[in-house]
Amino acid sequence: PGGEPVPQMLFKIALNDWSYTMMVTGDRVWMEHDGEVVPGAPMPFAEMPLSLDRAYGGKVVNEWGEVPHMFNPAGKGFCMSPEAAPGVPLPNLEHPDHLMRSPMDRPDPVSPAPYPMDGGLRLRDMGRYDEENERALAVNPPESAHLALNIAHPDLMVEQIRPGDVLTVEGIWPDRALRVRLPEFPGEVV
């Protein structure tokens, strides 16, 4: 905003009535303060990659070896205990309604970047679970086929995109939003 480095800002993608918003925060680490572990102050930034390695997740090394976060092993901020958190980097990309306040918070990773086909968020949403009988009902029900056949982050999947729809992206340039009317696709699928 204003072309100056900021400690935090919103990034938003909108398509007609659908939208996706992320809080983008400068680099920071967990710190001890008055006996509690809290997020440190963010460093101001002018540019920030919106990739999964900047989202919540990561790997923890403990006495059993390396433990990757099942939804995003490439990310950062994942801790197994508050005692191990001081000095651990926090994610730069967060959902504005689920900002990390404690090292034991477990938000879903957010990013507009392609999400791995075998990523835990995708796999979690593909199955159904019978809570009453505590067992899986289906591992790949037909209504979840879009999750298996798509590289988009599950939060970025929209039901339908039509020529003429307006895509708006805020937070790329300091003084304006990117607005694009989606063109007619010239290809033909057989």
Side-chain angles (χ1 to χ4, degrees):
E4 296 295 322
V6 293
Q8 193 173 57
M9 64 178 283
L10 290 173
F11 172 84
K12 181 178 179 181
I13 301 170
L15 181 71
N16 300 328
D17 295 334
W18 172 89
S19 67
Y20 181 77
T21 304
M22 293 184 318
M23 181 64 71
V24 182
T25 305
D27 291 338
R28 63 209 164 120
V29 297
W30 288 111
M31 301 179 68
E32 284 191 65
H33 180 72
D34 292 335
E36 291 187 51
V37 180
V38 297
M43 297 292 297
F45 65 96
E47 294 181 6
M48 180 71 64
L50 302 179
S51 52
L52 280 169
D53 62 335
R54 299 284 183 156
Y56 177 71
K59 297 176 183 169
V60 172
V61 177
N62 62 23
E63 61 269 20
W64 300 290
E66 192 173 73
V67 180
H69 188 275
M70 65 181 175
F71 295 160
N72 184 20
K76 56 185 181 174
F78 179 42
C79 296
M80 298 294 271
S81 70
E83 296 78 29
V88 171
L90 277 93
N92 301 102
L93 310 178
E94 298 177 274
H95 189 285
D97 295 336
H98 305 285
L99 300 176
M100 294 195 71
R101 303 282 184 231
S102 158
M104 301 316 293
D105 288 345
R106 300 289 185 254
D108 286 349
V110 297
S111 171
Y115 190 74
M117 296 296 281
D118 62 351
L121 287 175
R122 190 179 313 284
L123 298 174
R124 174 191 69 187
D125 295 343
M126 288 176 74
R128 290 184 288 173
Y129 187 73
D130 179 352
E131 290 186 26
E132 186 177 324
N133 296 309
E134 297 183 1
R135 65 184 180 90
L137 292 175
V139 176
N140 190 10
E143 64 268 16
S144 67
H146 67 284
L147 290 167
L149 304 173
N150 198 322
I151 65 165
H153 186 290
D155 291 346
L156 290 168
M157 293 180 193
V158 295
E159 187 145 330
Q160 188 171 23
I161 299 173
R162 297 181 180 99
D165 286 351
V166 176
L167 176 70
T168 305
V169 183
E170 298 174 20
I172 293 178
W173 293 310
D175 58 348
R176 66 188 186 281
L178 168 68
R179 285 190 177 75
V180 177
R181 186 168 303 279
L182 300 178
E184 185 77 38
F185 181 64
E188 186 175 320
V189 178
V190 178

